[in-house]
Amino acid sequence: MTTAAEDVPLLAARDLRVDFRVGGERLRAVDGITLDVARRETLGLVGESGSGKSTFGRAVMGLVPLSGGLLTYDGVDPSDLGRRERRQLQARYQMVFQDSSATLNPRRTVLDSVIEPLVVHGRLSSRQRQARAVELLERVGLSEAHGRRYPHQLSGGQRQRVSIARALVLDPELLVCDESVASLDVALQAQVLNLLSALQRELGLSFVFITHDLGVAGHMSDRLAVMYLGSLVEIGPAGAVTCDPRHPYTAALLSAQPEPVVGGRSRERIVLTGELPSPTDPPSGCRFRTRCPMAQDRCAEQAPEWREVAPGHRVACHFDFDGRWDLATIGTRASVGSVPPGPPVAAS
Ligand SMILES: Nc1ncnc2c1ncn2[C@@H]1O[C@H](COP(=O)(O)OP(=O)(O)OP(=O)(O)O)[C@@H](O)[C@H]1O
Ligand code: SF4
Ligand SMILES: [Mg+2]
């Protein structure tokens, strides 16, 4: 049985907005995101390049200011806290970036980089910090000897392990992993993903797992949230979103995967044409309408409301879409080919 405290989401975003000013124009990188992340949950956040995934992650980490909406951490709004309490709260939420050079100082040894957050937060004695950093390096599959090296003396996969150790040193409860394996080759990706899964099981962590790779996201996540031009379009259990996508954008992303993610039946491969519109001037109504193969007049006039299509599976589209394309209406917004049936998907 869960306690009341456990029912409070570890992270909650409500109508979250982040704007940047670019050349005198407002660029809304995150536009009205509402979602929760539960304890010990992995929420995958997927979408094309430029859809606002990293900006959302950076907002969670307090690295970019909010332009609107609310973020609560374990039910607490950090703006209600003093500076010291806010820092303590935010230490429970850490980020692993795609590029380890963003977190590792080339002039510091690996051990010093892992220790640094403990120094900044004034935690533990010098001897204890050293021991804690070595313990974490070992936990991520490295040794004390790796700790004496500089970042350039490690491989890309080893550097990413160091970034993970550094993110864990303050004992966080939630990690935002932003394309954390994207720069690694396939074999190393698998190793680091396995490490993250093991850490999650052993430490009871929650993840926001940001990636443009739906295959990886589907494999790692309990739930998937699909983002387009700053907003979510679909959210639900990972198996449901990947096997039974109910938003045309999700279905198009899935059909563009080199390996079929959907199993069981043959389907059309839909390749979207056109670029992501500029977030400085998003389309009216449904923002996907300029590329949506299913768009109708109503889509330009009205933004779709969220609808629950199955328990916990919600979609923002005016129409019931079952993942099968009406080829007669697709026109020039997508090109169509066929995809062989994927492997059967076992019922969970
Ligand atoms: N500091 C910034 N100043 C101005 N615009 C920014 C800034 N950071 C991001 N943007 C813009 O915000 C939008 C969202 O960018 P973001 O990096 O969040 O996308 P993303 O989904 O993480 O993309 P990718 O998959 O390429 O990493 C883009 O249009 C980007 O150009
Ligand atoms: S609301 Fe219209 S444009 Fe938007 S996804 Fe649905 S069909 Fe496409
Ligand atoms: Mg990004």
Side-chain angles (χ1 to χ4, degrees), residues 66 69-73 76-83 85-86 89-90:
L66 306 186
L70 184 66
L71 272 172
T72 57
Y73 303 77
V76 177
D77 175 355
S79 63
D80 291 339
L81 302 177
R83 195 163 156 268
E85 288 85 3
R86 190 160 62 234
L89 180 69
Q90 284 173 337

Side-chain angles (χ1 to χ4, degrees), residues 20 22 27 29 48-55 179 279:
F20 297 111
V22 180
L27 185 156
E48 279 167 291
S49 179
S51 55
K53 307 179 298 294
S54 294
T55 305
E179 303 280 9

Side-chain angles (χ1 to χ4, degrees), residues 303-315:
E305 299 282 334
W306 281 97
R307 291 184 298 114
E308 187 157 44
V309 293
H313 187 173
R314 292 184 303 125
V315 63

